[in-house]
């Protein structure tokens, strides 16, 4: 870095109490002065502290241009010190203490995890420029003096990424882990299999990762990047990356429902002979193929080959993932398919099962035993509690079906992760049904950031029952939010709210204070090239009755500010009110008055927001030769239907091809 690190162009507050750290630290005391990071600053460490500071020093090298010296701690007095000690029991496994003076920063923790968490607090105490690569701008790399003592409320602070319904590569997962680490989220739950694709290589069953089970059929016209799977070497790479960031990756193989790819590859494992169509396809195409969102086939709970298959699969998973849990799904199993099969009914009679809930518990217990035999702990969605009296207590529960699911688990002695649909499903809208984001799966709830922040996972539980709550987790289902940009907008800033409630005691929460810190953290998200939700979402304009006629005419919107890179564009027409709907027949993108992209089909802007039919009101365009000096206009040919009393929102959403580095300008 040229020049002194002290040559500041930005001014930062001198009071440590006025920090913008998320999650909010447990205890802070201020002192006078500032610690200044200099090119000569050395990072000293004791045993067990060297590895967890590696990510931090590498980040600083990228942003400052300085390769800071690291060395074992002896008797030094100046510098940054990372010290682990078995005597710091009050800090727990992930807590830490920071003592910042003008001469040194001293970091104390009982474990390497605590040291790592301390580095992420230091990361947030430095300017947001720490998230960028070295540039010409000179930055004040200093921190106010004082002390911070901090530790988390919960040991499970998770984020679930659905990579089955839409696949995301290693690069995307690494970026997400970087952001998770920054905000001290420590569990990444990978939903690796579902009806839309099998996404992990299993050596013993190569057909699981054939194109038939991992590549969306060409008829769905999906971009190639949304298909694929992780090789075992890539999984090892992800696990190594996660471990360096104090993150555990929990793999999920969803059985016995949501198993379409498995049944396509190995039909002998299915409960029936239904295998149409013989390929995988996006979630929203389910209704046209099956008449609903659920597959017409499941794994056969009466077939010993199924358990042998799962034994083999979980053997390979246990070797790949060092985390203590393996997730086996168990949700949304269509029991009606079992009720229709004579051989299943005969099996139930033989076992004296009264109903299919008991059969599912039988399946869950068999799978739990398999996972336990691998030295792992089983965990499944709370659907498996339907016959709780026959389910082993060693199976943990991921509670998604409301508060009662958490209560049901905890009161019956099952460890549970709180991940209720309301408010922790981040594919759900966050302001209202017309908030300008990509529409969700038509859930009845709205999951605002305030609702996320104010959620209490132990509500209604006694102190003893509360001990069964392992923590909290936000889920991102990628049925509709397929573009990375859309996923980021749905996740942020809600994921930061979840990170805070998973970390701090419930009595320490203050939403107004959180909002203030969140405002500053927008700069950090932008530095990380992460899009986040802004009020109004992608709403770029509106239509009103006076713009419509009973025959087709054009409406135009200036979309120059929303057009900023080469990428895929979705133009949406969302009816909001009025006596009449609107019909669209063609949408064109103009660059300096010349058409550069168009989508021509008949669409209706009406009340529909569901998933069971084609969203004809969405128009898809591509921009491949972006000109930053051009004016861009969106032109739509529209008319009123049986009248012109129609109002609605026009949305314009460009997702850059360079999805890791391109964000929409603020």
């Amino acid at each position: 870095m040229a020049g002194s690190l002290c040559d500041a162009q930005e001014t930062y507050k001198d009071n440590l109490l006025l920090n913008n750290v998320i999650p909010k630290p447990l205890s802070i005391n201020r002192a006078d002065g500032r610690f200044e990071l200099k090119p000569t600053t050395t990072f000293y460490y004791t045993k067990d502290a060297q590895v967890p500071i590696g990510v931090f020093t590498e980040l600083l090298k990228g942003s400052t241009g300085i390769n800071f010296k690291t060395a074992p701690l002896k008797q030094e007095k100046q510098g940054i010190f990372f010290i682990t000690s078995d005597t710091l029991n009050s800090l727990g496994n992930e807590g830490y203490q920071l003592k910042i003076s003008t001469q040194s920063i001293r970091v104390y923790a009982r474990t390497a995890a605590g040291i790592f968490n301390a580095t992420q607090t230091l990361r947030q105490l430095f300017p947001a420029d720490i998230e960028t690569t070295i540039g010409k701008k000179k930055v004040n790399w200093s921190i106010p003096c004082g002390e911070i003592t901090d530790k988390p409320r919960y040991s499970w602070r998770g984020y679930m990424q659905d990579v089955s319904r839409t696949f995301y590569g290693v690069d995307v997962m690494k970026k997400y882990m970087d952001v998770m680490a920054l905000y001290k989220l420590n569990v990444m739950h990978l939903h690796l299999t579902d009806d839309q694709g099998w996404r992990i290589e299993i050596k013993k069953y190569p057909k699981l990762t054939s194109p038939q089970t991992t590549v969306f059929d060409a008829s769905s016209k999906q971009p190639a990047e949304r298909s694929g799977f992780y090789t075992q070497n890539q999984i090892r790479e992800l696990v190594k990356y996660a471990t360096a960031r104090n993150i555990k990756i929990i793999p999920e193989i969803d059985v016995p429902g949501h198993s379409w790819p498995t049944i396509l590859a190995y039909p002998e494992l299915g409960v029936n002979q239904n295998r149409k169509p013989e390929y995988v396809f996006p979630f929203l195409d389910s209704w046209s193929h099956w008449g609903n969102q659920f597959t017409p086939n499941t794994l056969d709970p009466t077939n010993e080959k199924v358990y042998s298959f799962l034994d083999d699969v979980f053997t390979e998973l246990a070797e790949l993932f060092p985390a203590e849990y393996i997730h086996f799904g168990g949700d949304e199993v269509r029991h009606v398919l079992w009720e229709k099969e004579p051989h299943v009914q005969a099996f139930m009679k033989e076992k004296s099962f009264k109903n299919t809930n008991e059969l599912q518990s039988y399946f869950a217990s068999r799978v739990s035993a398999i996972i336990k035999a691998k030295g792992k702990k089983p965990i499944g969605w709370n659907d498996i509690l339907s016959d709780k009296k026959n389910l082993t207590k060693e199976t943990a529960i991921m509670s998604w079906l409301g508060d009662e699911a958490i209560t049901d688990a905890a009161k019956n002695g099952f460890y549970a992760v709180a991940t209720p649909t309301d408010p922790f499903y981040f594919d759900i809208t966050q302001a209202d049904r017309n908030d300008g984001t990509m529409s969700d799966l038509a859930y009845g709830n709205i999951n605002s950031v305030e609702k996320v922040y104010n959620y209490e996972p132990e509500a209604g539980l006694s102190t003893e029952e509360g001990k069964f709550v392992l923590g909290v987790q936000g889920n991102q289902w990628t049925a509709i939010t397929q573009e990375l940009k859309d996923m980021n907008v749905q996740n942020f800033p809600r994921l930061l709210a979840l990170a805070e409630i998973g970390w701090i005691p419930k009595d320490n929460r203050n939403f107004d204070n959180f909002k203030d810190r969140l405002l500053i953290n927008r700069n950090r998200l932008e530095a990380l090239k992460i899009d986040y939700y802004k009020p109004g979402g992608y709403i770029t304009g509106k239509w009103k009755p006076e713009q419509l006629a009973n025959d087709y005419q054009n409406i135009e919107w200036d979309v120059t500010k929303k057009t900023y890179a080469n990428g895929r564009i979705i133009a949406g027409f969302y009816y909001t009110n009025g006596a009449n709907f609107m019909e669209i027949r063609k949408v064109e993108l103009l660059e300096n008055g010349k058409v550069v992209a168009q989508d021509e089909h008949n669409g209706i802007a009406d009340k529909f927001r569901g998933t069971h039919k084609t969203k004809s009101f969405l128009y898809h365009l591509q921009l491949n030769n972006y000109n930053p000096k051009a004016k861009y206009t969106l032109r739509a040919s529209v008319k009123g239907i049986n009248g012109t009393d129609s109002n609605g929102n026009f949305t314009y959403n460009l997702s850059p091809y360079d999805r890791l580095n391109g964000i929409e300008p603020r």
Side-chain angles (χ1 to χ4, degrees), residues 227-458:
S227 295
F229 65 93
Y230 302 113
T231 67
Q232 292 200 356
N233 283 339
Q234 287 175 321
I235 290 293
R236 293 186 184 97
E237 181 183 349
L238 285 174
V239 167
K240 181 179 179 181
Y241 199 84
T243 302
R245 286 154 180 80
N246 190 41
I247 295 171
K248 297 176 181 178
I249 299 181
I250 307 295
E252 179 187 354
I253 304 297
D254 199 351
V255 292
H258 292 296
S259 298
W260 189 246
T262 306
I263 291 164
L264 290 180
Y266 299 97
E268 66 274 15
L269 302 180
V271 75
N272 59 47
Q273 298 303 309
N274 196 327
R275 295 190 297 279
K276 298 295 182 181
E278 293 188 329
Y279 49 78
V280 292
F281 49 84
F283 177 85
L284 292 181
D285 292 347
S286 300
W287 280 264
S288 61
H289 288 298
W290 297 327
N292 58 59
Q293 71 181 72
F294 303 110
T295 58
N297 206 338
T298 73
L299 296 183
D300 188 346
T302 75
N303 187 347
E304 284 301 313
K305 290 181 180 179
V306 168
Y307 301 105
S308 297
F309 166 81
L310 292 175
D311 191 285
D312 294 334
V313 169
F314 289 132
T315 293
E316 295 194 30
L317 251 66
E319 293 171 352
L320 288 168
F321 295 94
E324 59 185 325
Y325 284 97
I326 289 178
H327 202 303
F328 66 92
D331 63 311
E332 297 181 329
V333 182
R334 296 192 70 202
H335 289 193
V336 65
L337 300 176
W338 296 351
E339 292 166 356
K340 289 180 178 179
E341 294 298 321
H343 77 280
V344 175
Q345 294 302 306
F347 181 85
M348 291 174 60
K349 185 176 181 180
E350 176 189 331
K351 296 287 185 180
S352 299
F353 293 156
K354 300 181 186 67
N355 52 52
T356 50
N357 284 338
E358 292 188 6
L359 178 58
Q360 178 154 339
S361 278
Y362 167 81
F363 178 89
S365 295
R366 290 284 304 269
V367 174
S368 292
I370 291 170
I371 292 172
K372 285 157 54 182
K374 313 301 174 192
K376 302 292 186 178
K377 295 180 180 179
I379 185 170
W381 299 107
N382 63 260
D383 306 54
I384 63 178
L385 273 179
S386 58
D387 182 37
K388 61 182 75 68
K389 66 181 182 298
N390 291 317
L391 184 66
T392 171
K393 289 291 195 294
E394 294 173 286
T395 300
I397 306 300
M398 193 157 277
S399 299
W400 70 285
L401 288 169
D403 291 348
E404 61 273 16
I406 302 162
T407 303
D408 192 24
K411 286 185 178 294
N412 285 282
F414 292 91
Y415 284 100
V417 176
T419 181
T421 306
D422 182 2
F424 288 166
Y425 271 29
F426 293 162
D427 55 318
I428 293 176
T429 49
Q430 50 200 307
D432 55 52
R433 280 284 170 260
N434 297 300
D435 69 2
T437 58
M438 299 306 295
S439 57
D440 59 65
L441 296 179
Y443 290 99
N445 49 297
I446 305 296
N447 291 343
S448 66
V449 66
E450 183 173 9
K451 195 174 186 181
V452 173
Y453 190 84
N454 289 328
Y455 180 77
E456 173 47 49
E458 295 180 31

Side-chain angles (χ1 to χ4, degrees), residues 35 37 41 43 49-64 66 68 70 80-82 98 105 107 115-127 130-131 141 143 181-182 244-245 524:
F35 173 84
L37 183 68
T41 299
F43 290 67
Q50 180 181 12
V51 173
I53 67 173
V55 172
F56 184 53
T57 53
E58 193 65 25
L59 181 71
L60 279 169
K61 179 181 177 182
S63 53
T64 66
I66 299 169
F68 289 98
T70 61
I80 303 180
F81 306 94
F82 296 90
L98 287 174
I105 297 177
V107 180
I115 293 291
F116 181 84
N117 286 329
T119 67
Q120 299 310 293
T121 295
L122 290 173
R123 179 179 170 186
Q124 291 194 49
L125 289 172
F126 282 122
I130 196 174
E131 312 300 343
W141 298 102
I143 297 176
L182 173 62
R245 286 154 180 80
R524 200 167 293 269

Side-chain angles (χ1 to χ4, degrees), residues 154-157 325 379 396 415-418 466-472:
Y154 290 121
S155 62
W156 188 301
R157 305 177 304 281
Y325 284 97
I379 185 170
Y415 284 100
V417 176
K467 294 177 182 178
F468 286 97
V469 178
L470 295 172
V472 294

